[in-house]
Every structure is written in structure tokens, then in C-alpha cells.
Amino acid sequence: MSNSQAFRAIFALSIVLLLLRAHVAESSRRGFRRRSGGFFEYSAISCRAHTASVTEFGAVGDGVTLNTQAFQTAVDHLGQFGSDGGSQLVVPPGRYLTGSFNLTSHFTLYLQRDAVLLASQDEDSWPVIEPLPSYGRGRDNAQGGRYISLIYGTNLTDVVITGDNGTIDGQGAQWWQKFKKGALKYTRPYLIELMYSDSVQISNLTLVDSPSWNVHPTYSSNVIVQGLTILAPVTSPNTDGINPDSCTNTKIEDCYIVSGDDCVAVKSGWDEYGIAFAMPTRQLVIRRLTCISPFSAAIALGSEMSGGIEDVRAEDVTAINTESGIRIKTGIGRGAFVKDIYARKFTMHTMKWAFWMTGNYGSHPDNGYDPNAYPVIENINYRDMVVENATMAARLEGIAGDTFKGICISNVTIGLAKKAKKVPWTCVDVEGVSSGVSPPPCGLLTGEGSESLDQGCAFPEESVPIDSVGVQTCSCQGGHW
């Protein structure tokens, strides 16, 4: 390729990135309408009868004043209206420094445009809570507990966290440095975590520089995540974008994620703790995701999948300069299953691998895992994808004596990079079928005549229950906040 051709290619990719970013920014404003006099409307699963501004409870948006108590007092006060039409707390423009605070049921937290929540960098602003029962310990190699998330809630019903593209800034650089130096006693906090909750909406926000994972719905059901822009340096540790964990009936749509780890990581517990807790992630749909993550995946299944993962449907995903498009991570000791996975209409630019499966992911919470707990990986379907500038087509590594079965790949074109590996496919302990795949896959994926291949690597046409959840147009009179 000549210098002029290289320049044109880089220029074209830059335009694509700008257009994608503009599209996602527009998606993040979808359903929002601002009117004069401080009155605005937005879309949500529930509207509220009572409204207050956090400034009414003493919050100051100067970027210096610590507002943790103001936020918690406001939420606690508004919690009394749960049985009287619910309540919404509005955060007006400003920079509000705060530590962790807990939400309540039948409640909306709304960040206006130019409102920024700044996460405190003082560890004393973050209470320490017990490890997740399905993990058994903190995730950051910490035997003890974990710092609570910035926005947290447990056993809640009907919760909305949304805005007019307001920002939550985790100010994570200090946490990343301490983590790399091994200077933290407990696992780093996330930005948003809701546990044991039902009917949750997280939408139309920008999340920046989380100390660790950004959005972590856990042991929850009927979860909608839409229109998020999630940004972190690509070298930041464990800044996963959205991690549905032992959740049922979840929808992730229209999100733009630049991350130091997986953009979406589907989880369900870790080794013996996840096996005992036995709560799978199922009925998950992922649509219109744009991802940049040079060292991780656009969508990862695992590695903590010991409660099981099933019925995941991903489509219309764009991955740019991302290590792999779809990755399945598991290992001996995980147990459980990853099955009934369906992906289609992916576009990938500059990848290390389009597809990656590994049964050799050896990270364990402790030495109490069962060495005979083998995972079951089956019915994995990929179709209708285009990949450009890939170093390898795929790296598929099952487990000896525990073959990954039912892999189906159809209508996939993978353009290899100028300095691509000589062997584009690596396959060990896997079996499946393929059709219309270029370059031709390994011999373990050339089976013919299966029902899956006859259907073109099936993608379910029936909807999941979360698609029937309606939204309403909600209004708020902002006054002179």
C-alpha cells in the first residue's frame, strides 16, 4: 500500500469513527425533549409524582464541596413517596463531588446536561461491603471485602438512572495506580451497581474513568441499559463497560464504549461460589454497540460464568481496534455452561482475532475450586459478519476431554492484515460446522448437513420479554436550579 493509499484509509476510518460517535451521541439523547422555562421531558419505564433538586438539600456544584450527605439525605427524603407516585431527584448543571450513596425504590436520579458527579478520591468516602456471594472474595486479588459502588442499591424495584447526557466521572486514575502497585486493601469500586433488583433503567449518560467496572447489574431482572457513552483510557485496568451478572431479561442498546477491558462482559459467579449460588445470566439482548478496546473484547462471556450463561443475542455490533469481537472465557473449575449464544451483523476493523474461545482461563478465587468442574460450551452461532485487517481469523481452544461443541459460523468474511499470521485459524478441542466463511476455517469446523447449518447458524426471531417493556414520556419542571 502506498503512502497516499494509507493516508486515505486512515482518513476514511477517522470519518467512520466521527460518524459513529455522532450517531451514539444522538442515541444518548433519544427520547429527551427540552422546553423553555426549565421544563423538560424524557422517556422512562416509570414517571414520578414528586420532584426535588439535590441543591435543595445543600448540594453545591463547585467541584470542591463534598456532597455525599446531601445526596443521601435527598434520596432518603424522597423515599417516603414510593407508594405515592414515586419521586425523582434532579442534579442541575455543576460539578458535584460525592462519595457513595444508596438509591431507593420507585425513584429516578436525573442528571441534567452539564451536570457532573465527581467521585471522591478519598477512600474514606467509600464504605467497605461484603464480597458478592457468587464470587466469594473481592475481584482485585483481595481476600477481604470491596468498596461499595458510587451509585448503589439493593433489593429495589423500579429504579431509573438517566439524564440529558449528564456525566458521572469516577476519577479513576488514583485507583488504577494503587491497584497496579498492590496498595489497595479492598476491591476497587464500580460506578453503578444494583443488586437483587427488578425493573431497572440506566440510560442517556456519559460515564468517564471508572475505578473499575462501570455498570454492574447483579442478581437482577428486567434491566434496560441504553444510550450510554463509556470512556476510559485503553490501558486502564478492568474498566469493563457493562457487566450483567446473574441477571435475567436484560437489554443493552445504543452504547459507545472505549475501555481498558471488555466492553460488555457477561458473568454469573466464580468457581465453587458461583456453582453454589447457581444463578445464571439468561435472556440477554445486545444491539447497536460500538466498541474500542485494543486489549480485550467487544463482547466477552465469562470468565466468571459458574452460574451459567444462556440465551444471549447480539447484533449490529461495530468493533474498532479491539482485540477480539466475541470471546468465551472459561476453564476447569468453572463448571456450569455457556450455551445458546447467537451473534450476527458484526462489523470489525483492525482486530487480533475475530473470534476467541479459551478453556484455559486459570484465574481462581482460592484453592477450594473443584478440579472436576468442567464447563459445557455448546450451541454457539455466528453469522453475517465482515472483518477487516485481522491478525488472525480465530483462536478456538476447548478443553481436552471437554470439547466445545455445536459451533456454527456462516457467511463471515475476514480480511487479513498485511502482517497476518500464516495460519489464520487455530482450533483445538472444538467441533462444529461452517459455510461461506473466508478464509476457510480449520478442519474441526467443516462438518456438513447439521440442522444449525441448514438454518444458516440460527438467530432466534421471537422476542425476549424485555422487548415488551414500554417507556413513558415523563416531564419535569426544573424551576431556577
Side-chain angles (χ1 to χ4, degrees):
M1 179 182 291
S2 68
N3 289 338
S4 61
Q5 288 174 318
F7 175 81
R8 286 195 297 270
I10 293 170
F11 179 77
L13 181 57
S14 299
I15 294 299
V16 169
L17 284 168
L18 289 172
L19 291 173
L20 286 169
R21 183 67 186 274
H23 168 75
V24 176
E26 177 61 29
S27 296
S28 72
R29 293 189 287 273
R30 188 174 297 162
F32 177 87
R33 295 188 295 276
R34 185 188 292 104
R35 298 183 181 178
S36 61
F39 179 82
F40 58 86
E41 296 179 338
Y42 62 95
S43 296
I45 56 175
S46 299
C47 300
R48 312 302 182 189
H50 302 270
T51 301
S53 168
V54 70
T55 57
E56 298 177 51
F57 297 86
V60 179
D62 60 3
V64 177
T65 303
L66 187 64
N67 295 290
T68 311
Q69 189 59 52
F71 275 98
Q72 195 60 67
T73 299
V75 174
D76 292 344
H77 171 77
L78 293 172
Q80 67 181 305
F81 301 112
S83 60
D84 184 30
S87 58
Q88 56 189 355
L89 178 65
V90 177
V91 183
R95 296 172 63 81
Y96 297 85
L97 183 68
T98 181
S100 173
F101 59 95
N102 295 351
L103 302 186
T104 188
S105 294
H106 309 293
F107 176 82
T108 295
L109 176 67
Y110 187 93
L111 275 64
Q112 291 188 311
R113 180 169 298 210
D114 299 322
V116 181
L117 296 188
L118 287 173
S120 171
Q121 294 179 304
D122 181 356
E123 292 180 29
D124 291 337
S125 297
W126 305 81
V128 176
I129 59 177
E130 292 295 316
L132 292 167
S134 61
Y135 282 68
R137 55 170 286 181
R139 192 62 187 84
D140 284 349
N141 297 318
Q143 294 295 335
R146 58 199 187 101
Y147 291 105
I148 198 171
S149 297
L150 181 66
I151 300 173
Y152 180 78
T154 185
N155 294 294
L156 304 182
T157 301
D158 181 19
V159 177
V160 177
I161 304 169
T162 190
D164 181 19
N165 205 29
T167 298
I168 302 174
D169 186 343
Q171 302 201 97
Q174 175 178 289
W175 294 96
W176 307 330
Q177 293 167 6
K178 288 183 177 180
F179 169 72
K180 290 176 180 178
K181 293 177 181 178
L184 291 171
K185 291 183 179 180
Y186 307 107
T187 290
R188 288 165 288 160
Y190 310 141
L191 284 189
I192 300 173
E193 182 178 69
L194 298 177
M195 299 174 57
Y196 301 107
S197 295
D198 181 68
S199 298
V200 172
Q201 175 186 334
I202 303 169
S203 62
N204 301 340
L205 297 167
T206 295
L207 310 183
V208 179
D209 291 349
S210 177
S212 185
W213 301 350
N214 280 267
V215 178
H216 188 220
T218 314
Y219 317 140
S220 295
S221 58
N222 303 309
V223 178
I224 297 173
V225 181
Q226 287 178 324
L228 298 186
T229 298
I230 299 176
L231 305 173
V234 295
T235 56
S236 56
N238 310 116
T239 51
D240 300 41
I242 304 163
N243 289 12
D245 201 337
S246 293
C247 288
T248 298
N249 206 28
T250 301
K251 177 165 62 177
I252 300 170
E253 290 183 331
D254 301 304
C255 294
Y256 177 94
I257 303 171
V258 181
S259 171
D261 212 318
D262 302 316
C263 295
V264 173
V266 186
K267 299 179 179 292
S268 67
W270 200 5
D271 284 6
E272 70 269 28
Y273 303 102
I275 293 171
F277 201 76
M279 183 178 288
T281 289
R282 53 164 57 107
Q283 294 178 323
L284 168 64
V285 294
I286 302 167
R287 302 187 183 109
R288 299 180 298 278
L289 173 73
T290 300
C291 173
I292 299 174
S293 182
F295 305 106
S296 291
I299 298 174
L301 307 167
S303 71
E304 305 91 342
M305 40 64 66
S306 299
I309 297 171
E310 66 177 322
D311 192 5
V312 177
R313 311 172 189 191
E315 57 184 327
D316 297 315
V317 172
T318 299
I320 302 169
N321 191 21
T322 298
E323 186 176 56
S324 56
I326 307 173
R327 185 178 180 189
I328 296 176
K329 303 186 288 185
T330 188
I332 297 173
R334 293 290 195 268
F337 50 83
V338 176
K339 63 182 181 181
D340 303 336
I341 309 301
Y342 309 94
R344 67 179 177 184
K345 300 179 183 177
F346 278 46
T347 302
M348 301 179 237
H349 308 270
T350 309
M351 314 294 291
K352 191 170 184 179
W353 300 284
F355 311 120
W356 188 6
M357 302 179 188
T358 178
N360 300 312
Y361 211 85
S363 175
H364 301 289
D366 52 42
N367 293 325
Y369 70 92
D370 181 358
N372 296 311
Y374 283 74
V376 174
I377 312 299
E378 63 183 10
N379 194 24
I380 313 297
N381 299 271
Y382 303 147
R383 59 177 290 180
D384 306 334
M385 300 184 182
V386 176
V387 187
E388 297 177 351
N389 197 36
T391 303
M392 284 187 65
R395 177 180 172 184
L396 311 179
E397 302 167 328
I399 299 172
D402 183 30
T403 301
F404 294 1
K405 299 179 180 179
I407 300 168
C408 183
I409 305 177
S410 174
N411 190 29
V412 173
T413 300
I414 301 172
L416 296 175
K418 186 175 181 179
K419 295 183 179 180
K421 298 291 185 180
K422 292 183 179 180
V423 179
W425 292 79
T426 298
C427 303
V428 180
D429 297 310
V430 298
E431 65 179 48
V433 296
S434 61
S435 175
V437 178
S438 176
C442 52
L444 295 178
L445 298 182
T446 56
E448 298 291 343
S450 75
E451 181 179 351
S452 292
L453 192 57
D454 292 341
Q455 297 173 359
C457 301
F459 194 99
E461 297 303 326
E462 72 278 6
S463 62
V464 295
I466 194 67
D467 279 329
S468 65
V469 175
V471 296
Q472 308 174 48
T473 299
C474 304
S475 62
C476 178
Q477 180 62 51
H480 301 286
W481 301 332

